[in-house]
Each structure stands twice: as structure tokens, then as C-alpha cells.
Amino acid sequence: MSRVPVTLHRIVFTDWQAVHSWAGRPDACRFQPWGPNTEDQTRDFARAAAEAWTHEPLRRLAHVARLGNAVVGMGVLHLRSHTQRQGEVSYIVHPEAWGQGVGTEIGRSLLSLGFDRWGLHRIHATCDPRNRGSSRVLEKLGMTYEGHHRHTAWIRDGWRDSLVFSILEEEWRAGAGSGVYACVEGQPAPWPGAGRGARRDADLDDQ
């Protein structure tokens, strides 16, 4: 099957209008604790996501996904712990681009970025159990289902549960990541030794 030519680009504040084209839609945020956004909320989000690239150490690497010149979604790599080499990926696809393989390509590039550039050992992702499209994407990426966590977030129709998936670096290299390289623009240099299993002194686990 041919792959969709999706590329990830480091988010900048001026991307907010493209982001709002889906962030303001109820169908796009159906299973999320945010939205539908007002324009001010999307501007605040884009500003914070762009500013996160200037923080030291880096923790949140947000990208817009482009198909040609069109922004068709977003992907975020969260560096949860440098010392334990743990990460998390999240993504969203514009409803008008659903069913085209965009989510899979965003996820594939994020995993390549985490394992091949930042030297992570384990990357996980979560999704609402009702979001079958998202869980299918995580399965396509070679991620393993780890469990069903109850009442992890409050959303518009009550408490939502989360399915947890993960993939380890050796699984990535042996399977889904074989021959894959991140299609990502505007990346900073990783810490010295990243990509070779090096660890960093400062732990970045969320509090």
C-alpha cells in the first residue's frame, strides 16, 4: 500500500488559524477534554505550543501535519522522562482528512522522531475506547494494547476511559519502524548521545 506523503512541521503561532479549522469543530474533539474551541482558545493553545519549543529542557514537541500545503492535523511528542527514556505521542486529524491514512503517517513520524532522534526506549499513547479509528491507528503502528484505564478524563458527556498502547525501541526497529525515517521539519538538536541509548541527568517525569 502506498503511503500518504504527510510531513510534520514545528508549530508556530501563525498556524493557529489552520489549527482552528478543526479545533472549533465538535466532531474533531468528540473524545477530548477540550473544545470545541473559540478562536481565543485556539490562539492561546498555538502560542503555548510554539513557546514550548523554547523551554529547556524540551518536554513538548508539537507539530502541524501537512499534506502538500494543506494543514491536515497535528502530532505531539511528549518527552516524559529523559533518564528513563519514556515518551508519549498524541495526534489529531482534520475530519475532512479522515480515512486517508493521515493519522498513521503522523504517528509513524512521531515514533521515528522519539526512537531514532531522541533515543527513547518506550513510547505510549492513549485513546477513548469508543474511538475505534484511533485505536486502529495505534495497532497499525505496531503498538501493543496494555490495558483499559477507567475514568481518566472528564469530557462533555461525563467521565471517559482510556485504552493504553505502547511500543518499545526493539519492537520499533524490528517491525513497524524498519526503514522508516521521520518526515519532520524544524527540529532542534537532541541531547548529546540521544539515539545511542544515552541517558540524561535531569528527569522530566510529569508531576
Side-chain angles (χ1 to χ4, degrees):
M1 180 183 296
S2 60
R3 291 175 53 184
V4 182
V6 175
T7 56
L8 301 187
H9 300 255
R10 174 174 169 171
I11 191 172
V12 295
F13 175 69
T14 52
D15 289 321
W16 78 265
Q17 288 180 305
V19 172
H20 192 67
S21 69
W22 70 78
R25 292 178 53 152
D27 52 349
C29 59
R30 167 69 181 84
F31 303 111
Q32 304 301 328
W34 55 266
N37 280 6
T38 64
E39 288 191 354
D40 283 344
Q41 288 173 323
T42 302
R43 278 192 288 264
D44 288 344
F45 165 80
R47 184 179 295 106
E51 288 177 354
W53 283 94
T54 68
H55 297 169
E56 179 58 36
L58 283 171
R59 300 185 65 171
R60 179 187 180 198
L61 284 63
H63 308 79
V64 293
R66 295 183 182 276
L67 183 57
N69 293 323
V71 174
V72 292
M74 278 194 67
V76 183
L77 172 65
H78 304 267
L79 302 175
R80 295 303 190 194
S81 172
H82 283 178
T83 57
Q84 298 299 320
R85 297 164 56 204
Q86 302 287 305
E88 179 181 2
V89 294
S90 58
Y91 62 90
I92 187 167
V93 177
H94 196 301
E96 294 181 6
W98 287 352
Q100 300 178 32
V102 172
T104 303
E105 289 307 305
I106 293 174
R108 193 173 277 129
S109 286
L110 290 174
L111 293 178
S112 177
L113 185 64
F115 289 124
D116 302 328
R117 188 173 182 84
W118 289 97
L120 298 179
H121 174 69
R122 176 182 179 273
I123 298 175
H124 77 274
T126 65
C127 70
D128 189 304
R130 297 167 295 179
N131 192 349
R132 286 298 302 148
S134 186
S135 60
R136 282 194 294 269
V137 166
L138 300 178
E139 291 165 355
K140 287 179 183 178
L141 293 173
M143 303 184 84
T144 297
Y145 170 70
E146 290 189 338
H148 186 134
H149 291 191
R150 298 182 299 164
H151 289 201
T152 57
W154 176 263
I155 63 174
R156 286 155 299 284
D157 59 357
W159 286 103
R160 60 155 273 191
D161 294 354
S162 290
L163 304 182
V164 181
F165 294 78
S166 75
I167 186 169
L168 307 179
E169 57 182 327
E170 58 265 30
E171 296 168 339
W172 170 252
R173 304 199 192 291
S178 178
V180 174
Y181 299 94
C183 298
V184 181
E185 303 290 339
Q187 291 295 299
W191 66 76
R196 299 192 296 274
R199 294 187 176 185
R200 190 174 183 174
D201 291 335
D203 187 37
L204 301 185
D205 288 332
D206 281 346
Q207 300 299 314

